[in-house]
Amino acid sequence: QAGKMLVLLPDIMETQQDASTDNKMKALLVFRNVMGRMKRKEASPTALQLVEKLLPLFDDESSQLRELSICLFKDVIQMVVGNDKQQMKKNVRRSLLPLFFHMSDQSESVAK
């Protein structure tokens, strides 16, 4: 089932751009569950796409959404294997400064 869901993940993320905070949270939980059940080799290309979509969520007004997106980001970068690792390194470098700023977030769970 997770393999079948993998094809839908990029489309789900695209539709979340203008969604409510609650819907974004639900989508991130779906991503976490699906990606967690996949083999790294299968999930690697989707992980690359997902990382780019997570960056804007780091600055969401909801502390819960910020925390969930950062945690998912951490999980997703560990899913990458093979040739995708080089591209993931570039994506991670771009996200380091935004993540650094969140170390002093008002919400303790986000800062952690």
Side-chain angles (χ1 to χ4, degrees), residues 12-28:
I12 293 172
M13 197 62 199
E14 280 297 321
T15 63
Q16 295 305 305
Q17 299 282 319
D18 299 319
S20 69
T21 298
D22 190 46
N23 286 340
K24 288 178 185 177
M25 294 276 295
K26 289 175 184 174
L28 292 182

Side-chain angles (χ1 to χ4, degrees), residues 68-98:
L68 184 57
S69 64
I70 292 170
C71 289
L72 182 58
F73 180 84
K74 180 187 72 86
D75 295 343
V76 167
I77 62 173
Q78 296 172 351
M79 299 289 296
V80 177
V81 295
N83 295 334
D84 295 332
K85 281 189 175 188
Q86 190 62 32
Q87 181 61 42
M88 183 59 82
K89 284 181 183 180
K90 290 178 186 177
N91 292 342
V92 169
R93 284 186 196 119
R94 270 197 322 245
S95 64
L96 289 179
L97 189 58

Side-chain angles (χ1 to χ4, degrees), residues 19-71:
S20 69
T21 298
D22 190 46
N23 286 340
K24 288 178 185 177
M25 294 276 295
K26 289 175 184 174
L28 292 182
L29 291 172
V30 167
F31 289 125
R32 177 180 255 175
N33 289 331
V34 171
M35 298 293 282
R37 287 175 172 68
M38 304 214 48
K39 293 182 179 173
R40 289 175 60 189
K41 188 173 183 176
E42 294 173 319
S44 188
T46 303
L48 278 175
Q49 294 174 1
L50 186 55
V51 161
E52 293 177 20
K53 302 295 182 184
L54 289 173
L55 290 176
L57 299 178
F58 292 177
D59 295 324
D60 195 85
E61 60 186 47
S62 166
S63 63
Q64 289 177 321
L65 186 58
R66 288 194 310 269
E67 179 183 1
L68 184 57
S69 64
I70 292 170
C71 289

